[in-house]
Amino acid sequence: DVKVTQSSRYLVKRTGEKVFLECVQDMDHENMFWYRQDPGLGLRLIYFSYDVKMKEKGDIPEGYSVSREKKERFSLILESASTNQTSMYLCASSFEIRGTGPSNYGYTFGSGTRLTVV
Amino acid sequence: AQKVTQAQTEISVVEKEDVTLDCVYETRDTTYYLFWYKQPPSGELVFLIRRNSFDEQNEISGRYSWNFQKSTSSFNFTITASQVVDSAVYFCALSEAAGNKLTFGGGTRVLVKP
């Protein structure tokens, strides 16, 4: 089974701290994503990466940055954590499913990191 | 831009009742994919179904069924004879073929009471 592993399940940080959320996948997937989940808003895309050292902004990139130095690892960075970044963060990776019609991707999600900024 | 709307924020039913979750989407692409995920209290997202825009056949998998209506841009999900283990948050999502990004709806929390 493909695994997407997020390093921490729960995290508590202070306002102004620099925070790193780590995500590792073990199946050589090209694409990786960071989402945040808030009640009533669903999952919103923060950043994604389609290759090593490549990154693209998602829908809500403000206050975040990312790093992808190796294919299997995608890090989300909160440069200066604020209380409005308290949320559940989910990492995902995707792979192309060939032979099933037009370009189609399957997605695997990590278990999430619940971050509280105090 | 693509958008997914799940108008129902929470549904509460008694065990063995049927429950239908609505999903309406917007996209300018002619090729796209629709997904449903389940998120139980443990937090992980469990994949339920993927449907491409060219396949409007309804699908049934055990107690789950999906109704894809391109004319109304809807992809509704029905749980038949609900069980307590169906209690979870359910997300509908859309991916445009070229973009490879999933856009999620706000989710519907389903509570099945014994």
Side-chain angles (χ1 to χ4, degrees):
Chain A
D1 270 356
V2 176
K3 267 199 162 179
V4 175
T5 304
Q6 295 183 230
S7 55
S8 304
R9 189 82 172 102
Y10 298 94
L11 215 49
V12 180
K13 296 291 182 182
R14 294 194 180 280
T15 301
E17 273 193 76
K18 189 169 186 174
V19 181
F20 292 85
L21 302 185
E22 304 289 347
C23 175
V24 176
Q25 51 98 357
D26 66 358
M27 275 298 289
D28 205 36
H29 288 176
E30 302 288 336
N31 308 301
M32 295 188 75
F33 308 82
W34 274 106
Y35 288 88
R36 68 174 278 176
Q37 180 181 352
D38 301 288
L41 298 177
L43 280 74
R44 293 177 293 165
L45 182 63
I46 305 171
Y47 266 97
F48 66 103
S49 168
Y50 50 85
D51 203 349
V52 175
K53 296 192 188 295
M54 306 299 283
K55 61 184 179 184
E56 284 203 27
K57 293 179 180 179
D59 300 317
I60 52 164
E62 297 77 21
Y64 303 95
S65 62
V66 289
S67 172
R68 193 161 181 207
E69 297 297 318
K70 294 185 178 181
K71 194 174 187 180
E72 66 271 19
R73 186 180 295 271
F74 191 36
S75 304
L76 180 69
I77 304 158
L78 287 66
E79 296 290 342
S80 177
S82 64
T83 53
N84 63 13
Q85 292 178 309
T86 291
S87 186
M88 169 72 93
Y89 291 86
L90 286 143
C91 176
S93 67
S94 76
F95 56 99
E96 188 169 5
I97 302 170
R98 300 184 186 278
T100 57
S103 181
N104 183 13
Y105 289 86
Y107 299 83
T108 302
F109 285 84
S111 299
T113 296
R114 187 165 293 282
L115 173 67
T116 301
V117 182
V118 298
Chain B
Q2 55 197 50
K3 185 179 177 183
V4 177
T5 302
Q6 294 179 253
Q8 306 144 307
T9 54
E10 186 164 323
I11 300 175
S12 182
V13 297
V14 176
E15 214 170 13
K16 296 185 183 170
E17 286 184 350
D18 297 348
V19 55
T20 295
L21 311 182
D22 297 332
C23 173
V24 174
Y25 62 91
E26 295 175 30
T27 177
R28 284 177 284 196
D29 273 18
T30 55
T31 302
Y32 52 89
Y33 296 88
L34 295 162
F35 299 74
W36 275 96
Y37 286 88
K38 173 182 179 180
Q39 188 180 45
S42 54
E44 78 278 16
L45 278 174
V46 178
F47 168 78
L48 296 178
I49 189 171
R50 174 193 310 108
R51 172 68 62 190
N52 78 51
S53 52
F54 296 101
D55 183 1
E56 284 194 74
Q57 282 191 5
N58 292 329
E59 181 153 340
I60 298 174
S61 175
R63 295 184 297 105
Y64 295 169
S65 62
W66 291 269
N67 183 291
F68 179 25
Q69 299 266 350
K70 219 167 172 179
S71 58
T72 56
S73 297
S74 65
F75 186 44
N76 297 337
F77 171 35
T78 297
I79 304 172
T80 302
S82 60
Q83 300 175 2
V84 172
V85 293
D86 295 326
S87 296
V89 180
Y90 291 86
F91 291 100
C92 181
L94 165 73
S95 171
E96 292 169 346
N100 177 31
K101 295 180 291 179
L102 277 177
T103 296
F104 286 82
T108 299
R109 181 177 298 279
V110 173
L111 178 60
V112 181
K113 299 176 184 174

